[in-house]
Amino acid sequence: MDVDSFSALPDIVDSYCSLGRWKRPVAADFYGHDTVSLIDEMDQKGIAEAIVHHSISRLSHPIDGNEQAMKGIKGEPRLHACWSILSKASREYPVFEEYIEDAFRRGVRCFAVFPRFGAYPSGHDTSVREFVRADTFAFLEERRFPVFIDFGADP
């Protein structure tokens, strides 16, 4: 493949990154991105667009983190929100389906869950089984929304 053929490659979209600080450094003295540093890194790496959630939505509370994500991407057409959700059984939403519809109206097109994996509650203290038993994914599937299931180790 010659160098000229690279110009025909499609734009790169980072399908899963985050804004906000993490508990521990991601790299030496780096605890996470704000909007400006994320855009800078995207520019350095040739990434055209990114789908982002906010670290608060994983480390603390999805509803608060989702609002922080929306504030962080405001006015940045290259950044697209991914909202974190809890199981319908969590009773965090007056009506789960309305919460998802509101997300859609606000431009959200994908969602993330951070379930517990075995004895490692690195995300929310909820198992995938609870999401399934509560029928959380059915409405998302019906609407054809992608869902990231992140069993990540230690944020």
Side-chain angles (χ1 to χ4, degrees):
M1 181 180 286
D2 62 32
V3 175
D4 291 334
S5 60
F6 282 105
S7 63
L9 291 175
D11 290 337
I12 296 172
V13 175
D14 185 335
S15 63
Y16 192 63
C17 64
S18 68
L19 294 171
R21 291 180 56 87
W22 293 98
K23 291 190 295 189
R24 296 179 191 13
V26 178
D29 295 324
F30 177 70
Y31 283 84
H33 282 294
D34 60 17
T35 305
V36 172
S37 69
L38 178 58
I39 295 289
D40 287 347
E41 186 167 345
M42 290 168 59
D43 289 343
Q44 291 170 11
K45 295 183 176 170
I47 297 171
E49 299 181 44
I51 298 170
V52 299
H53 67 279
H54 199 283
S55 61
I56 291 173
S57 65
R58 178 179 184 157
L59 298 175
S60 180
H61 197 271
I63 294 172
D64 297 338
N66 294 340
E67 289 305 316
Q68 290 299 314
M70 297 307 284
K71 288 177 186 174
I73 69 167
K74 187 175 182 173
E76 291 293 343
R78 296 172 58 195
L79 302 180
H80 311 281
C82 174
W83 275 18
S84 302
I85 56 172
L86 296 169
S87 165
K88 282 173 64 172
S90 71
R91 299 185 182 145
E92 291 290 329
Y93 316 99
V95 179
F96 178 77
E97 293 78 6
E98 287 178 12
Y99 186 75
I100 300 303
E101 288 297 336
D102 181 52
F104 181 77
R105 282 189 296 277
R106 295 176 68 188
V108 177
R109 298 296 183 267
C110 60
F111 297 86
V113 298
F114 303 99
R116 170 181 72 241
F117 182 69
Y120 304 103
S122 62
H124 304 133
D125 193 20
T126 304
S127 68
V128 170
R129 181 179 300 164
E130 182 178 320
F131 281 95
V132 173
R133 284 183 179 165
D135 212 19
T136 305
F137 297 129
F139 186 69
L140 301 169
E141 179 183 10
E142 179 183 300
R143 296 296 308 268
R144 301 187 56 83
F145 289 129
V147 176
F148 295 96
I149 301 176
D150 186 341
F151 292 105
D154 190 14

